[in-house]
Amino acid sequence: MLAIRGAITVNNNTKPEILDASRMLLTEIITQNGINVDDIVSVIYTATQDLDQVYPAAAARDLGLTMAGLMCYQEMLVRGSLQKCLRCMVLANIDRKQSEARHVYLRGAITLRPDLISPDETKADEPNPVVPDPAESDSTAIGIDKVKSDRRERFVSIAIDGPSGVGKSTLAKALAKDLAFVHVDTGALYRAITLHCLNKGVKPEHKKTVVDVLSAICIEILYKDDIQRVILNGEDVTDRLRSPKISKATSRVAAIPEVRAKLLDLQRNLAHSQNVVMDGRDIGTKILPRAQVKIFLDASVHSRTLRRMCDLPGSDYDIVKRELEARDRDDLQRSVAPLKKAPDATYIDTTNKNFDEVFERALSLIKDRLRNHTLNI
Ligand code: DC
């Protein structure tokens, strides 16, 4: 008998989200362990008390597990534990050593098992997939084989990359609102790691010491009123991430390969479970090389300096410009995942455009690319 565990988080306590997450978790457990569905004896789900809209085991029935024993329990309320979390235990009648079981932790739940955070799993610069023809894609048909292979294409990813101060996050946030997608600001994740280092007196230039503290860092993303919040070791640090000191130190911390590896799955898992507009430096090239739409935003240093100064009242032009140039150098010259336009990204120079013009250009590009796509919400 083999016992396999798994966990996943959901953003909202709604029936579709709970069922979708339950399905995804079970499918991953089955496929990663190469289990024959008929060998599954029982599936036990547990849910934290903030998830009460549906029994998650209904998803197992949808996947064809009609013979296995299915059960759901509500979890104890443990202070400080992950919220909106589903756990699953699959018992399969297989002759395999228990030590060979591959436990599965997805989305925010990956933070429960930092040891599972893996290095890159797909090649960068992979071409975009062909957008599926709705006539051929059956978004309601669910089957073990199909769910796994379709998982990455079922949700739409829009990747926005570009240098500091170009307005990526502002654009990504507005697009996400218009499209009812989730906005993922990946810079905030690197900033949170930097905040932890500075709090612990670790200097960003001391690479080894930064790497040493990584295992003590647990980062989660939550959404409150559709706004991304970054939780660092259980504490919401979102409002402390944008100081010039953090900005400066982050470009150093983000150049460390182990830091990037730590954040890789968190970013990918967010995109594999919902429609996202994700902004950063390596989203189109490295994190989501199969994103359906990729945009590379650019602008002159002069215009980015002026924009940045609007966010920092009383700041000095020369200082802001020098800092931007230093961050550009760090982002462009680092050896891992440097800032680079993906070959299939659309380049938008925003130097002489106002926000509305950039927004309209990006939105029409997205609508054009997704014309034939059936959205999963
Ligand atoms: O987008 P931002 O200014 O919040 O990013 C902060 C720093 O993090 C910036 O120096 C570049 C780095 N970063 C990165 O290397 N990769 C990302 N995907 C996002 C940000």
Side-chain angles (χ1 to χ4, degrees):
M1 190 71 73
L2 192 68
I4 307 137
R5 293 190 312 276
I8 189 169
T9 54
V10 299
N11 285 327
N12 298 297
N13 178 24
T14 62
K15 186 172 166 180
E17 285 198 38
I18 293 170
L19 289 179
D20 191 54
S22 315
R23 203 156 41 225
M24 182 184 295
L25 180 60
L26 184 55
T27 306
E28 260 329 291
I29 289 176
I30 291 169
T31 49
Q32 286 198 22
N33 287 276
I35 300 173
N36 184 338
V37 176
D38 295 335
D39 291 332
I40 295 180
V41 177
S42 70
V43 181
I44 300 168
Y45 279 102
T46 70
T48 45
Q49 295 184 11
D50 45 12
L51 296 180
D52 60 5
Q53 293 300 302
V54 63
Y55 293 115
R61 262 202 323 272
D62 287 348
L63 286 172
L65 286 169
T66 46
M67 299 305 284
L70 305 176
M71 182 58 83
C72 307
Y73 293 100
Q74 192 175 60
E75 286 188 15
M76 292 161 52
L77 188 58
V78 178
R79 190 179 303 211
S81 63
L82 211 52
Q83 295 175 348
K84 298 202 186 76
C85 186
L86 290 167
R87 289 182 174 80
C88 185
M89 161 89 92
V90 173
L91 288 176
N93 198 1
I94 310 179
D95 188 16
R96 202 182 295 168
K97 280 194 226 128
Q98 181 57 35
S99 58
E100 290 171 10
R102 294 194 60 174
H103 305 297
V104 174
Y105 290 79
L106 300 173
R107 291 195 206 146
I110 192 82
T111 57
L112 295 168
R113 291 285 306 269
D115 54 312
L116 293 180
I117 292 173
S118 60
D120 198 354
E121 60 172 12
T122 43
K123 278 192 263 117
D125 298 329
E126 240 177 276
N128 277 337
V130 176
V131 175
D133 181 341
E136 287 177 15
S137 80
D138 177 2
S139 60
T140 56
I142 297 154
I144 296 289
D145 297 335
K146 186 168 165 51
V147 173
K148 168 81 179 172
S149 65
D150 285 1
R151 190 163 59 93
R152 288 180 171 81
E153 276 77 41
R154 283 195 312 132
F155 293 101
V156 171
S157 298
I158 295 165
I160 301 184
D161 291 303
S164 301
V166 76
K168 297 180 300 295
S169 280
T170 312
L171 176 65
K173 205 179 289 173
L175 289 171
K177 187 159 186 239
D178 192 273
L179 297 161
F181 282 20
V182 171
H183 169 222
V184 184
D185 164 11
T186 61
L189 306 175
Y190 292 92
R191 287 169 180 269
I193 290 188
T194 307
L195 177 68
H196 181 86
C197 291
L198 297 183
N199 284 347
K200 296 286 170 202
V202 172
K203 294 207 166 74
E205 52 274 24
H206 291 169
K207 187 184 154 203
K208 185 178 172 318
T209 332
V210 172
V211 173
D212 285 347
V213 297
L214 284 181
S215 61
I217 298 177
C218 171
I219 293 182
E220 296 160 63
I221 286 193
L222 301 177
Y223 288 86
K224 275 194 196 144
D225 302 324
D226 292 336
I227 304 290
Q228 172 182 305
R229 310 296 302 180
V230 179
I231 313 298
L232 171 66
N233 292 341
E235 188 189 350
D236 186 338
V237 293
T238 316
D239 299 331
R240 288 156 54 195
L241 298 178
R242 304 219 63 90
S243 71
K245 189 174 167 197
I246 297 277
S247 301
K248 196 168 162 198
T250 303
S251 56
R252 296 279 175 82
V253 170
I256 300 173
E258 288 84 349
V259 169
R260 307 198 74 82
K262 182 176 176 81
L263 294 176
L264 186 92
D265 278 0
L266 173 58
Q267 295 170 81
R268 284 192 177 150
N269 288 335
L270 286 161
H272 293 164
S273 51
Q274 58 206 335
N275 300 316
V276 293
V277 183
M278 189 177 284
D279 74 80
R281 304 296 188 288
D282 59 345
I283 310 305
T285 53
K286 183 85 176 165
I287 305 296
L288 305 174
R290 295 161 65 84
Q292 287 85 348
V293 187
K294 298 181 187 179
I295 294 172
F296 190 91
L297 278 194
D298 206 358
S300 68
V301 182
H302 172 67
S303 113
R304 288 187 285 132
T305 304
L306 296 181
R307 287 179 202 164
R308 208 14 62 105
M309 287 174 71
C310 295
D311 299 335
L312 303 166
S315 51
D316 177 89
Y317 177 89
D318 289 328
I319 294 175
V320 174
K321 181 163 178 265
R322 260 201 309 278
E323 282 180 358
L324 270 182
E325 285 168 338
R327 291 177 65 197
D328 283 356
R329 260 195 313 278
D330 285 341
D331 290 347
L332 286 163
Q333 290 173 4
R334 66 174 173 237
S335 54
V336 273
L339 170 64
K340 197 168 90 181
K341 176 186 165 304
D344 51 349
T346 299
Y347 182 89
I348 303 181
D349 185 343
T350 70
T351 305
N352 296 313
K353 291 188 176 69
N354 63 33
F355 177 77
D356 289 346
E357 290 170 312
V358 178
F359 177 80
E360 287 310 324
R361 169 89 181 84
L363 192 62
S364 77
L365 175 75
I366 293 166
K367 288 192 170 158
D368 191 44
R369 285 302 307 267
L370 301 183
R371 218 177 23 231
N372 295 324
H373 198 94
T374 307
L375 284 184
N376 285 276
I377 306 288

